[in-house]
Amino acid sequence: MSKFARVGNIIVSLLTVLLGVFLFFMPGEGFYIIVLILSIGLFIAGFKEIIYYFTMAINMVGGKRSFYKGIIVLEAALFTLSLYDIPKIFILLYLIGVHVFSGTVEILRAWESKKNGSSFVLKFIQGSLDITMALCCLVFIRNGNTGTYIYAAGLINSAIFRIVSSFRKTAIVYIQ
């Protein structure tokens, strides 16, 4: 990672922490902000994937996969934007599913890293925190502001791990 990328990661992480703190203090309006942030983020990711397909991956082996991935992510963005008018309990169920899935993936990645002999502790901690947040959503599912608090905690959690990974040395592999 270049120095410019490290500084960019740190700036984005600090803005994410500020957004998380803002959501802690504005839980009522935070629900609508969360839906908007998720849908905008998914739209950007989907468009980036489609642009990548048309600029680079169109002639690559397996390049259509990035096009299909972009379409699916755009569909997820539309689905997330449609969650604006439904009861908050469905958003909590959606949030539980996302945290369980991402936590399971991180724990499995940590397990694979441990098998390969590389560092696995940060991945394991991040996966455990995701599953803990999903359990907190389940326990406090009746409270209307739980989703906002859990999402804000998740934002702060991911920002902290992003800052930590920005300061880690990256290995450069040279082919001889």
Side-chain angles (χ1 to χ4, degrees):
M1 186 182 302
S2 68
K3 289 182 182 179
F4 181 73
R6 290 179 198 270
V7 170
N9 260 348
I10 292 170
I11 290 171
V12 167
S13 299
L14 291 176
L15 290 174
T16 305
V17 168
L18 287 176
L19 179 65
V21 170
F22 174 74
L23 288 175
F24 265 118
F25 291 117
M26 303 292 276
E29 296 83 22
F31 170 75
Y32 303 110
I33 295 170
I34 290 169
V35 170
L36 190 64
I37 289 170
L38 286 175
S39 58
I40 288 172
L42 288 171
F43 270 122
I44 290 170
F47 279 124
K48 278 176 59 176
E49 199 69 32
I50 290 174
I51 289 170
Y52 171 72
Y53 169 74
F54 283 115
T55 57
M56 301 223 13
I58 196 165
N59 296 318
M60 293 171 49
V61 175
K64 285 186 181 177
R65 183 180 303 148
S66 64
F67 179 71
Y68 296 140
K69 181 180 173 185
I71 296 296
I72 290 171
V73 171
L74 283 176
E75 288 291 329
L78 290 174
F79 173 71
T80 304
L81 195 58
S82 72
L83 297 177
Y84 190 80
D85 292 334
I86 65 172
K88 292 181 182 181
I89 193 160
F90 294 116
I91 300 296
L92 280 175
L93 293 173
Y94 186 62
L95 193 62
I96 289 169
V98 167
H99 278 295
V100 166
F101 179 75
S102 63
T104 304
V105 167
E106 284 297 318
I107 288 174
L108 289 174
R109 286 179 62 207
W111 189 27
E112 187 71 26
S113 295
K114 185 178 180 182
K115 280 185 188 177
N116 293 334
S118 60
S119 65
F120 67 95
V121 176
L122 283 177
K123 290 178 188 173
F124 183 77
I125 291 172
Q126 190 171 9
S128 300
L129 285 174
D130 272 338
I131 291 183
T132 304
M133 282 189 252
L135 290 174
C136 287
C137 275
L138 272 175
V139 170
F140 300 111
I141 200 163
R142 295 285 180 205
N143 187 355
N145 295 330
T146 301
T148 306
Y149 292 134
I150 298 294
Y151 187 77
L155 282 176
I156 293 170
N157 173 32
S158 67
I160 290 170
F161 279 105
R162 192 176 208 173
I163 290 172
V164 168
S165 68
S166 293
F167 286 114
R168 293 178 76 189
K169 294 269 185 189
T170 55
I172 299 174
V173 177
Y174 293 103
I175 300 173
Q176 296 179 355

